[in-house]
Amino acid sequence: MINDLRNKLAEKGLKVTPQRLAIYGAIVKLNTHPNADKIIESIRKEHPNIATGTVYKVLDTLVENGLIKKVKTEKDVMRYDPMVESHHHLYCTSTDRIEDYIDKDLNNFLREYFQKKEIPNFNIEDIKLHIHGKFIDKN
Amino acid sequence: MINDLRNKLAEKGLKVTPQRLAIYGAIVKLNTHPNADKIIESIRKEHPNIATGTVYKVLDTLVENGLIKKVKTEKDVMRYDPMVESHHHLYCTSTDRIEDYIDKDLNNFLREYFQKKEIPNFNIEDIKLHIHGKFIDKN
DNA sequence: TCTTAAAGGAGAATAAATCTTATTTAAGAT
DNA sequence: ATCTTAAATAAGATTTATTCTCCTTTAAGA
């Protein structure tokens, strides 16, 4: 997983640095679509003097190179997702919990639906569902 | 339209103030899912000394009372939508343009789809599609 | 090992949004 | 019509997430 990242960075001509590995590793390990703050908090345990600016810059670099994705929220903080394959999100309406929702059948349906029913003057590149509601298990 | 707002504010026990009417009016008139800045810019023509804090507070009040909605973006600025009925959005991937997408057939399909195929441990309240792509008319 | 462009560290700067406090006002009561 | 008062606004300081600047360090190829 971290080795995947090594390879992908190298492929793109980007340097493989401990900071980049740590940041990516933290996002994967946390597995909560963390924001920059949570990532920094997690990384500082092992890597006490990583600069916040570095974290933001690395996050941007990873997003630009398609190695992670930004997740939109109602709040004014960005969150980050290590899964780059197209998928959807479940948003809790009472906490800030966000979970992945993967549904191939739905994706197939949507592809066909919008092949038939074109949207005037608009060229679709990607569709993401934001599914809002409440998790009903142990929070 | 502004009169609707008067009534809805009154119903909720909120005062009908010129600021609230102006802010709501600006969002409707601009019709671009504007951010707070654009709203302020538009309002100051008529209402030169409205405070920015007031605008943010009014926006919050309107959102809390279901009179407008927040629109999520990739950027770290909130935008606002005067249409409160459930609908979807088209997001331009090269500009910050956002348009409404209304599709009853799709909504019906989604309702049925998720009635059959429940999401484990999750209670759906609302589903919004974020449709990313490019507008192909005159920008 | 050397070279160098790319990346990181530190902390200042910016921008959106929030908060504080004093003042004003909408709207019901008198 | 005026009075009263809780709610709302103005002004501007503050906070918070993010970006920027500049100098130092380092990854990776020569």
Side-chain angles (χ1 to χ4, degrees):
Chain A
M1 191 173 272
I2 290 296
N3 272 335
D4 283 5
L5 182 69
R6 300 187 95 96
N7 295 336
K8 282 179 188 164
L9 287 171
E11 269 172 37
K12 306 254 180 184
L14 297 167
K15 289 185 182 172
V16 176
T17 68
Q19 291 86 345
R20 285 174 174 170
L21 298 176
I23 289 166
Y24 183 80
I27 298 171
V28 171
K29 193 187 71 188
L30 288 170
N31 194 33
T32 53
H33 309 83
N35 61 21
D37 231 45
K38 301 279 191 218
I39 295 167
I40 291 169
E41 189 186 312
S42 165
I43 285 177
R44 287 249 166 94
K45 291 168 197 162
E46 293 275 303
H47 231 278
N49 30 339
I50 195 165
T52 65
T54 300
V55 174
Y56 281 102
K57 203 137 75 68
V58 167
L59 290 171
D60 277 356
T61 304
L62 297 178
V63 169
E64 277 163 23
N65 288 279
L67 304 173
I68 62 172
K69 294 230 173 192
K70 285 191 177 188
V71 178
K72 286 179 241 177
T73 71
E74 305 290 348
K75 310 277 190 63
D76 54 351
V77 278
M78 273 304 152
R79 293 172 64 169
Y80 297 89
D81 191 337
M83 197 193 306
V84 293
E85 303 79 45
S86 182
H87 65 285
H88 310 287
H89 284 132
L90 307 176
Y91 287 82
C92 182
T93 48
S94 50
T95 72
D96 58 2
R97 184 170 169 191
I98 298 172
E99 297 277 345
D100 295 315
Y101 178 68
I102 295 159
D103 187 334
K104 283 207 160 191
D105 294 342
L106 181 63
N107 292 347
N108 289 336
F109 166 80
L110 290 172
R111 187 180 325 103
E112 284 172 32
Y113 183 84
F114 283 108
Q115 242 153 30
K116 281 181 218 137
K117 182 172 194 159
E118 291 213 342
I119 300 176
N121 302 321
F122 193 79
N123 217 319
I124 298 176
E125 291 167 9
D126 185 43
I127 298 180
K128 299 191 73 167
L129 266 72
H130 288 223
I131 305 174
H132 300 265
K134 292 206 170 48
F135 293 97
I136 48 188
D137 56 7
K138 58 297 169 193
N139 182 286
Chain B
M1 191 172 273
I2 290 295
N3 271 336
D4 283 6
L5 182 68
R6 299 188 95 96
N7 294 335
K8 283 179 187 163
L9 288 171
E11 270 171 38
K12 306 254 181 185
L14 297 166
K15 289 186 181 171
V16 176
T17 68
Q19 291 86 344
R20 285 174 174 169
L21 298 177
I23 289 165
Y24 183 80
I27 298 171
V28 172
K29 193 186 72 189
L30 288 169
N31 194 32
T32 53
H33 309 83
N35 62 19
D37 232 44
K38 300 279 190 218
I39 295 167
I40 292 169
E41 189 186 312
S42 164
I43 286 178
R44 288 248 166 92
K45 290 169 198 162
E46 292 275 301
H47 229 280
N49 29 338
I50 194 165
T52 66
T54 299
V55 174
Y56 282 103
K57 204 135 76 68
V58 167
L59 289 170
D60 277 355
T61 304
L62 296 179
V63 169
E64 276 163 25
N65 288 279
L67 303 174
I68 62 173
K69 294 230 172 192
K70 284 191 176 186
V71 178
K72 286 181 240 176
T73 70
E74 305 289 348
K75 309 278 191 61
D76 55 351
V77 276
M78 273 304 150
R79 294 171 62 168
Y80 297 88
D81 190 338
M83 199 194 304
V84 293
E85 302 80 45
S86 183
H87 65 286
H88 309 287
H89 283 134
L90 307 176
Y91 286 82
C92 181
T93 49
S94 50
T95 71
D96 59 2
R97 184 170 169 192
I98 298 172
E99 296 278 344
D100 294 315
Y101 178 68
I102 294 158
D103 186 335
K104 282 206 160 192
D105 294 343
L106 182 62
N107 291 347
N108 289 335
F109 166 79
L110 289 172
R111 187 182 324 102
E112 283 173 32
Y113 183 83
F114 284 108
Q115 242 153 29
K116 281 183 217 136
K117 182 171 194 160
E118 290 213 342
I119 300 176
N121 302 321
F122 193 79
N123 217 320
I124 298 176
E125 292 167 8
D126 186 44
I127 297 179
K128 297 192 73 168
L129 267 72
H130 287 223
I131 305 174
H132 299 265
K134 293 208 170 47
F135 292 96
I136 47 188
D137 54 7
K138 59 294 171 196
N139 181 289

